[in-house]
Amino acid sequence: MSKPHNSDFIHITFMDLEHNHKILADNARFATTFRKFNQSILNEIERAVVYGRCDAYTIRNLLQPLYPNQLFLTQDLSNAIQKIKREKQITGSDASQLLKFLLEQQKEEPMMFVQPLINVDSNRLCGIFWMTANQIILWSRYSDVVLHDNTSRTNKYNFPLSLFILVDNDGKSRLGAQAFLNDETQESYEWILQQTLDATGIEPKVIITDMDPAMDAACQTTYSNAYHVHCIWHMAQNLPKRLKNKLGTTDFKEFIHDFWKTRNSLCVEVFEQRFQTLLNKFPNGNDYLHDPIYLTRHSWARAFTSRVFTAGMQSTQRVESINSIIHKVVSSSSTMANVAEA
């Protein structure tokens, strides 16, 4: 290739399409193509799962001496085991299977953090939080801005799957922590936020969430030093639900135009003037506009949030993207253990 003088463009003059160098040893060992299990190995894994009810750790120890040249990564084994369980419809106590799976992972990753929440009266699982060793490292590096949201219909018990998303220095979304909860109350949210502190010792500088009052209250008590930002996508979904009938279709269209103009004001004084105009112009919506909209203005109005580093994010859309990936491999009939393995 060549780069002419006084030009910012590089010109390709020749391209050899033949592979002409040796493949790197690490690629041959770790690349996905070379990690596939042949049918003989898959048969051994199926036998261990169906008849021995063995976990990934035990299966790897059994198979490694038989296949010394095969790389057995935990994720690859877990994927194979999960597929076999789905095909064979192997079930058991889901709570115990989930906890067993996570504790087995913790044996291999001593830095991994696993914390169940047990109801002392019924001795039933109310929630479980976990962070892998890699997630703890990611949190220590990229927790300046953390996004949180729940996803539903991932398991047959209707436990919300609570996800924390980080953004790395390449702008990529990274799953930072996860938990199952049996409800979405302030107490439950306080518990999962506290687990992130116990696991990492690091409180985010900014957390972006939906407009759930329970999460708002939990952030105030547990993430007391973090700046709390509301997702504008959730706000855009809530406004029609709460105000369209009160204002009427015609007035609501005008209100929406004026509201986003108010929201995008960069000067606090201009924001306050425009918001007061909204109250005067659309009195039928004053109750909702005052509480919770105005009372939480520091979490959504650009006059306030533009002064805080949010990495350019104004919504939890990255969480929704992760949700769509998760829903490709799990469904409302999945067990929680299936979800954790996936």
Side-chain angles (χ1 to χ4, degrees):
M1 63 181 63
S2 63
K3 181 180 180 183
H5 294 294
N6 302 323
S7 174
D8 293 329
F9 298 96
I10 295 176
H11 297 274
I12 298 175
T13 55
F14 176 76
M15 181 178 295
D16 186 355
L17 298 180
E18 294 292 329
H19 189 84
N20 54 19
H21 62 86
K22 292 182 178 180
I23 189 168
L24 296 176
D26 283 349
N27 284 351
R29 181 169 174 77
F30 292 103
T32 304
T33 303
F34 299 95
R35 296 195 334 243
K36 290 182 179 178
F37 299 141
N38 60 37
Q39 192 57 48
S40 175
I41 294 176
L42 291 174
N43 291 340
E44 292 290 346
I45 295 174
E46 180 174 327
R47 187 178 296 110
V49 171
V50 175
Y51 300 103
R53 299 298 174 103
C54 298
D55 53 67
Y57 179 80
T58 303
I59 293 174
R60 182 169 60 187
N61 288 341
L62 290 173
L63 295 184
Q64 195 68 75
L66 299 177
Y67 302 93
N69 296 324
Q70 176 69 44
L71 179 66
F72 291 96
L73 295 182
T74 302
Q75 186 61 54
D76 295 336
L77 275 174
S78 296
N79 290 340
I81 292 170
Q82 181 188 2
K83 183 178 180 181
I84 291 169
K85 285 182 176 180
R86 286 199 304 267
E87 293 174 349
K88 302 296 181 180
Q89 296 184 340
I90 298 174
T91 60
S93 172
D94 192 24
S96 63
Q97 289 294 327
L98 172 62
L99 189 55
K100 180 181 178 182
F101 170 76
L102 294 175
L103 292 178
E104 285 169 354
Q105 277 195 314
Q106 192 178 44
K107 288 180 183 177
E108 300 181 31
E109 300 180 34
M111 279 184 61
M112 183 176 177
F113 184 89
V114 180
Q115 184 62 54
L117 177 63
I118 308 296
N119 185 301
V120 293
D121 297 323
S122 62
N123 202 33
R124 294 179 65 86
L125 183 73
C126 295
I128 187 165
F129 173 96
W130 72 98
M131 292 180 76
T132 66
N134 185 58
Q135 288 176 330
I136 291 174
I137 294 172
L138 289 173
W139 191 281
S140 69
R141 294 175 179 172
Y142 307 120
S143 61
D144 284 349
V145 183
V146 174
L147 298 90
H148 173 272
D149 201 1
N150 293 335
T151 181
S152 59
R153 300 188 302 277
T154 63
N155 60 90
K156 61 184 179 182
Y157 307 101
N158 291 321
F159 271 42
L161 177 60
S162 190
L163 302 175
F164 292 85
I165 304 299
L166 315 171
V167 181
D168 66 18
N169 55 348
D170 293 320
K172 294 182 178 179
S173 300
R174 308 294 293 270
L175 184 57
Q178 53 281 306
F180 279 117
L181 296 170
N182 68 338
D183 58 37
E184 298 175 275
T185 62
Q186 177 183 343
E187 184 180 11
S188 294
Y189 283 137
E190 287 176 346
W191 181 77
I192 60 170
L193 296 181
Q194 184 60 49
Q195 300 318 302
T196 65
L197 299 179
D198 293 345
T200 67
I202 300 172
E203 181 179 345
K205 291 181 174 62
V206 173
I207 182 167
I208 304 176
T209 73
D210 60 13
M211 298 181 66
D212 187 344
M215 175 55 85
D216 287 358
C219 286
Q220 290 176 9
T221 58
T222 312
Y223 280 179
S224 56
N225 296 315
Y227 195 96
H228 191 187
V229 175
H230 281 166
C231 167
I232 60 170
W233 184 85
H234 284 92
M235 174 172 279
Q237 298 297 305
N238 289 338
L239 288 173
K241 296 177 183 176
R242 301 299 299 269
L243 294 177
K244 193 170 185 177
N245 288 337
K246 291 183 178 180
L247 300 180
T249 302
T250 303
D251 283 351
F252 181 74
K253 289 181 179 179
E254 186 178 357
F255 164 80
I256 283 295
H257 175 270
D258 292 351
F259 177 82
W260 289 115
K261 183 179 179 180
T262 302
R263 183 262 172 187
N264 292 330
S265 304
L266 296 178
C267 174
V268 174
E269 290 76 12
V270 172
F271 166 80
E272 295 290 352
Q273 291 172 4
R274 288 176 174 174
F275 197 91
Q276 186 59 49
T277 301
L278 280 178
L279 296 176
N280 297 335
K281 192 173 181 180
F282 305 99
N284 289 341
N286 279 6
D287 288 345
Y288 183 68
L289 287 176
H290 175 70
D291 184 8
I293 298 299
Y294 184 75
L295 293 183
T296 60
R297 62 194 180 280
H298 292 88
S299 295
W300 55 267
R302 291 282 288 159
F304 305 102
T305 61
S306 62
R307 305 180 185 191
V308 181
F309 175 74
T310 62
M313 293 181 289
Q314 303 178 57
S315 74
T316 58
Q317 191 59 42
R318 286 177 180 265
V319 187
E320 303 301 330
S321 299
I322 298 294
N323 287 347
S324 67
I325 296 173
I326 291 174
H327 280 288
K328 290 179 181 179
V329 293
V330 300
S331 67
S332 57
S333 62
S334 300
T335 65
M336 290 190 291
N338 291 152
V339 178
E341 289 185 42

